[in-house]
Amino acid sequence: MPTYVFRCEECQTVFERFISFADLASQPTILCPQCASQRLQRVWTAPLVLTASERSTVGGNGGSGCACGSCN
Protein backbone atom coordinates (compact mmCIF):
# COMPACT_ATOMS: atom_id res chain seq x y z
CA MET A 1 0.00 0.00 0.00
CA PRO A 2 1.45 3.40 -0.92
CA THR A 3 2.43 5.93 1.70
CA TYR A 4 1.11 9.45 1.18
CA VAL A 5 2.44 12.51 3.00
CA PHE A 6 0.08 15.32 4.03
CA ARG A 7 0.56 18.75 5.60
CA CYS A 8 -2.17 20.33 7.69
CA GLU A 9 -3.02 23.86 6.57
CA GLU A 10 -4.18 24.74 10.10
CA CYS A 11 -1.27 23.65 12.33
CA GLN A 12 1.40 22.77 9.69
CA THR A 13 1.78 19.21 11.02
CA VAL A 14 3.28 16.85 8.42
CA PHE A 15 2.23 13.20 8.63
CA GLU A 16 2.05 10.00 6.58
CA ARG A 17 -0.87 7.70 5.81
CA PHE A 18 -0.92 4.28 4.15
CA ILE A 19 -3.82 4.42 1.70
CA SER A 20 -4.65 2.01 -1.13
CA PHE A 21 -5.16 3.42 -4.62
CA ALA A 22 -8.83 2.39 -4.49
CA ASP A 23 -9.40 4.14 -1.16
CA LEU A 24 -7.60 7.27 -2.36
CA ALA A 25 -9.83 7.38 -5.45
CA SER A 26 -12.93 7.32 -3.23
CA GLN A 27 -11.63 10.46 -1.46
CA PRO A 28 -11.53 9.22 2.14
CA THR A 29 -11.86 11.66 5.01
CA ILE A 30 -8.39 12.16 6.41
CA LEU A 31 -7.93 14.17 9.58
CA CYS A 32 -4.82 15.83 10.97
CA PRO A 33 -3.59 13.77 13.92
CA GLN A 34 -2.65 16.95 15.79
CA CYS A 35 -5.71 19.21 15.41
CA ALA A 36 -8.29 17.02 13.58
CA SER A 37 -8.57 19.49 10.71
CA GLN A 38 -9.64 18.29 7.26
CA ARG A 39 -7.74 21.14 5.57
CA LEU A 40 -4.85 19.06 4.30
CA GLN A 41 -2.51 19.43 1.39
CA ARG A 42 -0.80 16.42 -0.12
CA VAL A 43 2.98 16.74 -0.14
CA TRP A 44 4.63 15.24 -3.19
CA THR A 45 7.70 13.17 -2.41
CA ALA A 46 10.21 11.41 -4.61
CA PRO A 47 9.99 7.61 -4.71
CA LEU A 48 12.85 5.58 -3.24
CA VAL A 49 15.10 4.30 -6.00
CA LEU A 50 18.01 2.02 -5.18
CA THR A 51 20.99 1.38 -7.42
CA ALA A 52 22.27 -2.17 -7.97
CA SER A 53 25.02 -1.70 -5.38
CA GLU A 54 22.55 -0.33 -2.82
CA ARG A 55 20.16 -3.24 -3.39
CA SER A 56 22.91 -5.72 -2.57
CA THR A 57 23.03 -4.42 1.00
CA VAL A 58 19.25 -4.29 1.59
CA GLY A 59 18.01 -7.32 3.50
CA GLY A 60 21.40 -9.02 3.35
CA ASN A 61 20.21 -11.66 0.89
CA GLY A 62 22.33 -11.10 -2.17
CA GLY A 63 20.57 -8.18 -3.73
CA SER A 64 16.89 -8.95 -4.11
CA GLY A 65 15.87 -6.35 -1.53
CA CYS A 66 13.38 -8.78 -0.02
CA ALA A 67 13.88 -9.80 3.60
CA CYS A 68 12.49 -13.31 3.09
CA GLY A 69 15.76 -14.48 1.52
CA SER A 70 14.15 -16.55 -1.22
CA CYS A 71 13.42 -13.82 -3.78
CA ASN A 72 15.91 -13.12 -6.56
Side-chain angles (χ1 to χ4, degrees):
M1 209 175 329
T3 301
Y4 294 96
V5 179
F6 296 92
R7 185 180 75 244
C8 177
E9 293 180 354
E10 296 290 329
C11 69
Q12 304 305 308
T13 297
V14 176
F15 62 97
E16 297 178 343
R17 283 290 183 268
F18 296 107
I19 305 170
S20 71
F21 291 119
D23 288 343
L24 188 64
S26 69
Q27 299 180 349
T29 300
I30 301 170
L31 302 176
C32 172
Q34 185 69 30
C35 70
S37 173
Q38 290 184 21
R39 294 188 55 210
L40 306 174
Q41 182 168 0
R42 190 164 153 201
V43 177
W44 294 95
T45 58
L48 176 64
V49 178
L50 299 176
T51 65
S53 62
E54 291 169 326
R55 281 193 296 265
S56 67
T57 62
V58 174
N61 59 4
S64 72
C66 178
C68 77
S70 62
C71 300
N72 290 318

